[in-house]
């Protein structure tokens, strides 16, 4: 496994099964990864680790994904970190809500993994 | 515009109008008849006056002639002794008789106002005529020399005749003056009456048109307002009476009924919209719930496929664990699909109750065993208390009881972390009492009120935080009532919830409503 980025990605997901699965697949794809299980932990780790990119589940305990994205975009130290929203909701309004909340992209569960990798690469290289 | 303010029905207005016009015409005709009567009276008066004048004239001529004759005869007798012949005397007597008759006619013509004059004339003339008669009778008797030539009686009669004539003329003039006055008056009344009739008729017509028009205008305005959707508008019913008031009232009633009908339609629409919104929400939740296990199934499968393609040793334990995750997620998916199917069966009335004899304690134990992975997922422990039901059999639908226990148990696991789930069952007096309690997040009384409704979860955010479609408890409640039982709930926020199900062990009562 080769680390493509010096800084890790941050995966925020409360469902243990899905978190483990994504973590393993992303590590296998060559990314170094940190994980958070709720919204507050996500914000804390963003400030602490300054990850290269955040994969943010929307249905989170403590603080939901929308709140995390909004707080992040108003915090000068972490507002430049790109965020990809992950949600099992598949309505058009969810996509618009995600972009309006300050997320740079959006992926629907079940995750299309190759497409997710393309989105990550696009944001890391921009 | 007094008419329009008073409350008169249209019919009353028309009757009143007709009566007023007829009265005016009757007054006009009466006045006209009065005038005609006065004219004919006038004619009669003039004719009487003319006849009387003629008679007086004739009488004067007759008296004049008779006097001339007596004077001539008197002169003859003085100069000659020739006697008067019978024929001559008869002629003279007839002449005198004619005079008497004329006098009588004159008397017949006179009225009360001339009676005195006539009486005096009659007395004087009778005396004169008697004198003349006796002159003729005694003509041949020479010793009787009457004062025939004496003009006293003649002059007196002549004077009385003239007095009567003057009196009658004066009376005729006076009478004709009165009659002329009457004619002028009736003519004036007739003309004024006709003009007044025309004016009053026009006025009444205008009033009738205006009042009727304003009544109809109010109705028209009202109907237009109703038509444009302003159903709160009311036509003033008190401005009219009779049929127009009835019409206004009918229109108002119609508007009231329309308002009610529209309200009902709106309520029905609101209900339908609410049901529709709940279904849309439900669909969104279902979609979300299907995607969560599918994410694990697809993700793990793809990952295993990739990893198995890698060179090197395969971690069999890891693969087994991953496959277990895929299986659990698949089962979750199946459970969810079954819930949705159950609900649609309940909703369309196709859910059947299959009664069997079975041991509820064994069934509950089996369900708890099957759901032990859920228990460990949230680090909960299970406390089973089935001794009160062990060894008993009951008649009910085991499939539905299994579903009830499964839903209550998985709910308890879902909303409790690192706590204790207590499942207890006992049978007494033909009744199974099943209790599923937890010490999880609990619910407020307000949430408890809604939690059994279809598509509804305790909070709108429950689905996003804890998953679920809001169907589980709704299905449990429907199944309990199908089996002739009940479900109740006690709960305290942050202290846990306790669901108690009671079911008859002899099957549901034979009530078609319960099924």
């Amino acid at each position: 496994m080769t680390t493509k980025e010096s800084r890790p990605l941050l995966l925020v997901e409360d469902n243990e099964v899905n978190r483990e699965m994504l973590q393993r697949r992303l590590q296998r794809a060559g990314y170094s990864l940190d994980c958070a299980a709720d919204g507050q932990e996500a914000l804390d780790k963003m400030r602490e680790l300054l990850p290269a990119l955040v994969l943010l589940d929307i249905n989170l305990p403590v603080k939901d994904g929308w709140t995390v994205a909004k707080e992040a975009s108003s915090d000068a130290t972490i507002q430049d970190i790109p965020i990809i929203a992950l949600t099992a909701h598949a309505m058009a309004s969810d996509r618009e809500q995600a972009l309006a909340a300050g997320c740079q992209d959006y992926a629907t569960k079940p995750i299309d993994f190759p497409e997710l990798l393309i989105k990550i690469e696009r944001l890391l290289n921009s | 515009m007094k008419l329009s303010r008073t409350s008169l029905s249209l019919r009353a207005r028309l009757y009143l109008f007709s009566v007023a016009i007829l009265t005016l015409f009757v007054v006009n005709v009466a006045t006209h008849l009065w005038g005609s009567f006065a004219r004919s009276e006038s004619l009669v008066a003039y004719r009487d006056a003319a006849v009387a004048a003629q008679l007086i004239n004739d009488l004067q001529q007759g008296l004049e002639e008779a006097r001339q004759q007596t004077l001539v005869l008197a002169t003859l007798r003085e100069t000659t002794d020739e006697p008067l012949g019978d024929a001559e005397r008869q002629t003279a007597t007839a002449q005198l008789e004619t005079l008497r008759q004329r006098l009588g006619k004159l008397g017949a013509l006179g009225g009360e106002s001339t009676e005195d004059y006539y009486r005096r004339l009659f007395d004087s003339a009778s005396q004169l005529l008697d004198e003349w008669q006796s002159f003729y009778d005694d003509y041949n008797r020479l010793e009787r020399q009457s004062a025939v030539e004496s003009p006293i009686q003649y002059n007196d009669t002549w004077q009385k005749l003239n007095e009567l004539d003057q009196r009658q003329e004066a009376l005729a003039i006076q009478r004709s003056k009165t009659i002329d006055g009457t004619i002028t008056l009736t003519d004036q009344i007739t003309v004024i009456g006709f003009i007044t009739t025309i004016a009053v008729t026009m006025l009444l017509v205008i009033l009738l048109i205006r009042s009727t028009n304003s009544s109809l205008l109010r109705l028209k305005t009202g109907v237009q307002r109703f038509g444009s959707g302003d159903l709160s508008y009311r036509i003033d019913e008190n401005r009219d009476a009779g049929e127009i008031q009835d019409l206004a009232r009918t229109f108002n009633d119609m508007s009231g009924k329309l308002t009610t009908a529209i309200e009902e339609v709106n309520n029905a629409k609101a209900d339908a919209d609410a049901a529709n919104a709940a279904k849309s929400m439900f669909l969104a939740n279902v979609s979300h719930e299907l995607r969560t296990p599918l994410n694990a199934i697809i993700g793990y499968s793809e990952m295993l496929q990739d990893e198995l393609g890698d060179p090197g040793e395969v971690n069999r334990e890891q693969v087994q664990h991953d496959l277990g995750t895929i299986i659990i997620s698949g089962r979750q998916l199946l459970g969810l699909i079954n819930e949705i199917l159950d609900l649609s069966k309940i909703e369309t009335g196709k859910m059947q109750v299959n009664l069997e004899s079975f041991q509820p304690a064994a069934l509950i134990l089996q369900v708890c065993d099957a759901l032990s992975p859920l228990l460990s997922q949230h680090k909960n422990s299970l406390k089973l208390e089935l001794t009160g039901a062990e060894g008993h059999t009951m008649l009910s639908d085991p499939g539905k009881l299994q579903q009830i226990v499964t839903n209550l148990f998985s709910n308890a696991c879902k909303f409790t972390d690192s706590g204790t789930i207590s499942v207890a069952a006992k049978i007494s007096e033909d009744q199974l009492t099943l209790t599923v309690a937890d010490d999880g997040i609990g619910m407020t009384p307000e949430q408890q009120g809604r939690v059994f409704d279809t598509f509804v979860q305790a909070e709108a955010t429950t689905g996003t935080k804890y998953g679920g479609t809001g169907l589980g408890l709704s299905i449990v409640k429907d199944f309990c009532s199908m089996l002739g039982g009940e479900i109740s709930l006690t709960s305290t926020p942050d202290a846990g919830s306790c669901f108690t199900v009671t079911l008859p062990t002899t099957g549901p009562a034979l009530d078609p409503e319960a099924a």
Side-chain angles (χ1 to χ4, degrees):
Chain A
M1 273 190 239
T2 55
T3 303
K4 293 180 179 175
E5 265 282 330
S6 52
R7 286 186 297 161
L9 307 187
L10 179 65
L11 172 63
V12 189
E13 167 69 84
D14 64 321
N15 185 304
E16 206 181 322
V17 175
N18 282 327
R19 189 172 66 232
E20 259 183 45
M21 185 265 290
L22 264 183
Q23 188 179 10
R24 269 167 63 184
R25 296 191 81 178
L26 285 167
Q27 281 172 347
R28 194 171 171 276
Y31 296 99
S32 71
L33 216 64
D34 271 291
C35 292
D38 65 60
Q40 190 53 55
E41 191 186 351
L43 281 169
D44 294 344
K45 288 207 170 172
M46 278 171 84
R47 292 191 181 106
E48 181 193 333
L49 305 169
L50 295 175
L53 183 140
V54 180
L55 294 167
L56 180 65
D57 183 31
I58 296 304
N59 307 306
L60 291 173
V62 188
K63 274 180 184 168
D64 71 17
W66 309 133
T67 315
V68 172
K70 273 175 194 151
E71 285 190 19
S73 65
S74 60
D75 185 334
T77 55
I78 54 174
Q79 67 185 2
D80 294 330
I81 302 173
I83 299 174
I84 298 176
L86 306 178
T87 173
H89 288 287
M91 305 289 163
S93 61
D94 293 323
R95 181 185 169 76
E96 279 155 24
Q97 201 179 353
L99 299 181
C103 300
Q104 276 66 41
D105 215 331
Y106 176 93
T108 310
K109 295 179 188 176
I111 303 288
D112 184 330
F113 195 71
E115 199 179 289
L116 179 66
L117 291 182
I118 292 170
K119 282 175 178 172
I120 291 170
E121 279 306 305
R122 196 192 293 145
L123 283 172
L124 288 178
N125 296 331
S126 65
Chain B
M1 296 299 96
K2 208 173 178 184
L3 253 182
S4 62
R5 282 202 202 95
T6 49
S7 300
L8 278 179
S9 74
L10 189 60
R11 191 190 302 176
R13 280 181 215 166
L14 288 173
Y15 276 134
L16 206 66
F17 174 73
S18 310
V19 167
I21 300 293
L22 277 174
T23 310
L24 283 168
F25 270 108
V26 166
V27 168
N28 273 330
V29 169
T31 316
H32 183 70
L33 287 177
W34 184 20
S36 299
F37 177 71
R39 270 172 224 280
S40 69
E41 277 284 281
S42 159
L43 279 177
V44 169
Y46 278 120
R47 199 182 61 211
D48 286 356
V51 169
Q54 183 65 44
L55 275 174
I56 286 168
N57 199 31
D58 288 353
L59 209 51
Q60 279 176 335
Q61 275 183 10
L63 285 174
E64 183 78 37
E65 279 170 20
R67 175 163 166 74
Q68 290 299 326
Q69 205 171 340
T70 54
L71 283 176
V72 169
L73 283 174
T75 313
L76 276 175
R77 205 178 58 168
E78 277 175 18
T79 52
T80 64
D81 289 335
E82 197 177 333
L84 188 67
D86 277 351
E88 279 173 314
R89 199 171 66 228
Q90 274 170 10
T91 310
T93 309
Q95 194 185 17
L96 291 179
E97 193 54 39
T98 309
L99 285 176
R100 276 187 209 280
Q101 282 173 4
R102 282 181 186 165
L103 195 60
K105 273 188 191 171
L106 191 62
L109 273 177
E112 273 179 32
S113 48
T114 56
E115 207 176 333
D116 291 346
Y117 292 86
Y118 178 73
R119 180 59 48 201
R120 285 201 289 275
L121 170 67
F122 185 79
D123 291 347
S124 177
S126 294
Q127 205 181 333
L128 180 65
L129 290 172
D130 286 348
E131 275 178 16
W132 284 344
Q133 185 68 50
S134 57
F135 168 73
Y136 287 119
D137 290 345
D138 299 340
Y139 188 81
N140 293 338
R141 280 181 269 163
L142 291 172
E143 71 274 17
R144 282 277 319 252
Q145 285 299 319
S146 64
V148 145
E149 302 97 300
S150 161
I152 297 167
Q153 191 61 41
Y154 176 76
N155 285 346
D156 184 57
T157 304
W158 193 260
Q159 195 194 332
K160 296 285 188 294
L161 196 58
N162 274 339
E163 277 174 9
L164 178 64
D165 190 23
Q166 279 167 8
R167 174 64 186 164
Q168 280 194 330
E169 206 178 307
L171 276 177
I173 287 168
Q174 193 188 345
R175 197 174 164 194
S176 70
K177 266 186 186 166
T178 312
I179 292 170
D180 286 349
T182 308
I183 290 172
T184 313
L185 182 66
T186 54
D187 281 355
Q188 281 172 351
I189 290 176
T190 306
V191 170
I192 292 170
F194 269 115
I195 291 171
T196 313
T197 304
I198 290 169
V200 170
T201 306
M202 281 176 68
L203 189 69
L204 284 177
V205 166
I206 289 169
L207 284 182
L208 186 68
I209 288 172
R210 287 189 68 156
S211 68
T212 307
N213 198 41
S214 70
S215 297
L216 292 178
L217 205 65
R218 276 198 294 281
L219 289 179
K220 185 189 155 202
T221 310
V223 174
Q224 272 177 344
R225 296 279 289 268
F226 296 154
S228 64
D230 180 8
L231 291 175
S232 60
Y233 182 78
R234 284 291 173 269
I235 302 169
D236 188 354
E237 291 172 7
N238 298 324
R239 293 283 294 277
D240 284 293
E243 52 283 87
I244 291 182
Q245 191 184 29
D246 290 347
L247 203 56
R249 198 171 288 146
T250 309
F251 276 133
N252 284 343
D253 288 352
M254 182 189 78
S255 166
K257 280 176 185 148
L258 270 179
T259 311
T260 317
I262 287 172
E263 219 165 77
E264 280 167 6
V265 168
N266 283 343
N267 287 346
K269 189 175 175 286
D271 289 349
D273 285 350
N276 216 16
K279 291 222 166 174
S280 296
M281 190 72 193
F282 164 70
L283 270 182
N285 285 342
V286 164
S287 163
H288 180 265
E289 283 306 291
L290 291 173
R291 281 164 188 278
T292 304
L294 269 175
N295 189 43
I297 293 168
I298 294 172
Y300 270 93
S301 306
E302 284 179 357
M303 185 172 70
L304 282 177
Q305 193 181 34
D306 290 349
E307 286 178 359
L308 289 172
D310 287 345
E313 193 68 19
V314 174
N315 183 344
R316 296 177 68 91
E317 211 172 300
Q318 179 72 58
V319 170
Q320 202 166 23
H321 170 264
D322 294 348
L323 285 173
T325 307
I326 291 171
I327 291 165
I328 288 176
S329 298
R331 290 220 171 105
Q332 273 181 15
L333 202 55
L334 180 65
L336 181 69
I337 289 165
N338 283 338
E339 272 188 356
I340 294 167
L341 283 179
D342 282 351
L343 187 87
S344 87
K345 274 187 199 166
I346 293 168
E347 288 219 323
T348 53
K350 285 177 183 162
M351 181 60 77
Q352 304 258 322
V353 177
N354 302 309
L355 292 180
E356 278 176 41
S357 266
F358 63 96
Q359 293 203 338
L363 184 141
I364 293 165
L365 195 63
Q366 198 184 331
V367 172
C368 292
D369 279 349
L371 293 177
S372 54
L374 264 180
L375 207 60
S376 54
Q377 196 178 338
H378 289 264
K379 301 182 181 76
N380 290 317
S381 59
L382 174 65
K383 194 177 136 199
L384 265 176
E385 180 56 56
L386 302 176
T387 46
E390 268 165 4
H392 288 85
T393 57
M394 70 183 285
L395 180 69
S396 195
D397 186 330
K400 291 194 173 44
L401 180 60
Q402 184 182 0
Q403 184 80 59
I404 290 167
V405 180
T406 306
N407 287 4
L408 290 179
F409 191 91
S410 52
N411 259 1
C413 290
K414 201 188 284 178
F415 297 111
T416 309
D417 282 306
S418 310
T420 307
I421 312 296
S422 308
V423 178
K426 62 170 177 158
I427 288 181
S428 63
E429 292 173 1
D430 292 343
Q431 184 168 281
L432 168 74
T433 306
L434 168 72
T435 314
V436 179
D438 63 62
D439 49 6
I441 58 168
M443 281 177 277
T444 64
E446 208 256 322
Q447 291 171 329
Q448 293 171 37
R450 300 196 293 251
V451 84
F452 290 110
D453 293 345
T454 312
F455 305 134
V456 174
Q457 292 183 308
E459 280 294 328
T461 54
T462 303
T464 56
K465 274 186 191 162
Y466 298 98
T469 51
L471 294 181
L473 285 177
S474 170
I475 290 170
V476 167
K477 192 181 183 219
D478 287 339
F479 280 4
C480 284
S481 67
M482 274 182 187
L483 298 178
E486 281 176 354
I487 181 162
S488 60
L489 158 67
T490 55
S491 182
T492 313
D494 298 324
S497 306
C498 176
F499 289 87
T500 306
V501 173
T502 54
L503 294 177
T505 55
T506 52
L510 289 173
D511 181 5
E513 291 293 312

